[in-house]
Amino acid sequence: MNKIIEISRISVLGEGVGVDSDGNIYFVPRALPGDKVKVLVRSQDKKYFECDLVEVITPSLERVEPPCAYFQQCGGCDWLHWNYADQLKGKQKVIEHAMERGTLTPQKILPIIGAEQSLNYRNRIQLRMGSGSLGFFKKKSHDLVDIEECKIAKPMLNEAIKKLRASGISKQEQTQKIELYIAESGEVKQVTNAAHGIEGFKQINEEQNSRLQKCVADYVGRSQSKKVLELFCGDGNLTFAYQNLVKNIIAIDSNESVISQAKWKREKLGLSSEKSSTAFICDVVGHSTARKLPSEFKGHYDTLIVDPPRSGLSGALTHLLHKQLKSIIYISCSVQSFSQDVQCLKDQFHFEELQPIDMFPHTRHIEFVAKFSRI
Ligand SMILES: C[S@@+](CC[C@H](N)C(=O)[O-])C[C@H]1O[C@@H](n2cnc3c(N)ncnc32)[C@H](O)[C@@H]1O
């Protein structure tokens, strides 16, 4: 079935959303607010219609010429055809809309912190090579889009792509996974066919990451925290940004590699493991995390910081609450899992502030820092 729809906003998954006169809601990938589009309805669930974009009848004034030749096929970016300032407004609205519908609403939602450099920001990319092509997968497909450069990757990585192409592209049918990243030494490194996540999580946008670190440190300072429990700490990316503001930290992550990197960074900063008040522990966060803490920490940490993966805390938050806990700082990349997780806070905590930060320009991905304090 074809329909003509006017797009009014963006969904939490980054699709254009339009509502018809009967109140039916249409989700259209790659359509933008202000577009009038012809769509093909793919599936329907009650009043919700999943659609394919057939034709843009009247383009939104927010549309721009994509700066990338591969944008129409490549599955990497969502929004190179959307003016960056309008993308930021779109992300802000997605967050505001989701928070209005939640059980806990923040007292203040600050304006999103946009990137000064919305292109050439990624310090890590994952390419595929095979059948004579080097590039990224098409959207929802394992077909390769052959690329010469990636507009959101740092120039050094694009130089590395050129060198890889010059050295010859595999004609083998089986695709290889090639990860290119800029190491701390400043050199480009290549890893081929590594198992997923073997080296652990790394922030990919340094400029925006420093703003994220600053925001978390600011919230820790404002909370007058002394004992902090940080969960999903990775390599200590956030820990080292606030550790000089507090007395004790226990920081936990389930990935051994990132915990070793965190310990190594701690040594490099001259904080030997005996003298340092920052302990990094490798463990899986879950319902028993609070119970497993050392007795001087159990029931005594005054600030809880969590930065979980997209799936959120899966019910663990309620087991981490105790009377001495004064503030919670939650860094989230999913409004859905965040909204579910924080429901358990509604009688004891006040949702003070939410700061969105655009970590991934030209993509639908959203990130924000939320600060809660005890009522
Ligand atoms: C979004 S990353 C945040 C990392 C770090 N805070 C940073 O800023 O780089 C999420 C982290 O959670 C860790 N993780 C995922 N599931 C976990 C679990 N069940 N228990 C503990 N850590 C987990 C991952 O290893 C990853 O380092």
Side-chain angles (χ1 to χ4, degrees), residues 213-329:
Q213 291 169 327
K214 193 171 168 299
C215 175
V216 171
D218 178 42
Y219 284 173
V220 170
R222 273 164 50 184
S223 305
Q224 300 189 319
S225 316
K226 290 192 174 60
K227 277 192 176 188
V228 178
L229 174 64
E230 184 186 335
L231 304 178
F232 312 96
C233 65
D235 64 357
N237 174 52
L238 303 174
T239 327
F240 295 113
Y242 70 81
Q243 53 103 27
N244 60 350
L245 301 173
V246 305
K247 281 204 171 120
N248 295 94
I249 305 170
I250 290 188
I252 303 178
D253 197 284
S254 60
N255 184 297
E256 266 178 46
S257 169
V258 289
I259 288 292
S260 306
Q261 290 163 45
K263 288 179 179 169
W264 178 78
K265 278 190 190 173
R266 185 181 59 191
E267 297 289 317
K268 221 172 98 183
L269 285 169
L271 307 162
S272 71
S273 49
E274 295 83 48
K275 280 196 217 143
S276 174
S277 54
T278 304
F280 289 103
I281 298 175
C282 184
D283 200 5
V284 175
V285 171
H287 292 197
S288 57
T289 296
R291 250 185 289 133
K292 287 198 261 174
L293 292 171
S295 55
E296 69 279 12
F297 230 82
K298 201 185 299 177
H300 293 294
Y301 51 90
D302 52 46
T303 297
L304 172 67
I305 301 178
V306 294
D307 184 6
R310 208 168 294 280
S311 50
L313 285 153
S314 314
L317 188 55
T318 186
H319 301 277
L320 292 156
L321 308 179
H322 60 82
K323 285 201 185 105
Q324 308 279 325
L325 183 62
K326 289 196 304 223
S327 39
I328 300 171
I329 299 166

Side-chain angles (χ1 to χ4, degrees), residues 66-74 80 145-149 151:
C68 170
Y70 316 108
F71 174 64
Q72 294 307 338
Q73 307 116 58
C74 180
L80 280 164
V145 182
D146 197 37
I147 64 150
E148 305 235 340
E149 61 162 354
K151 288 288 179 188

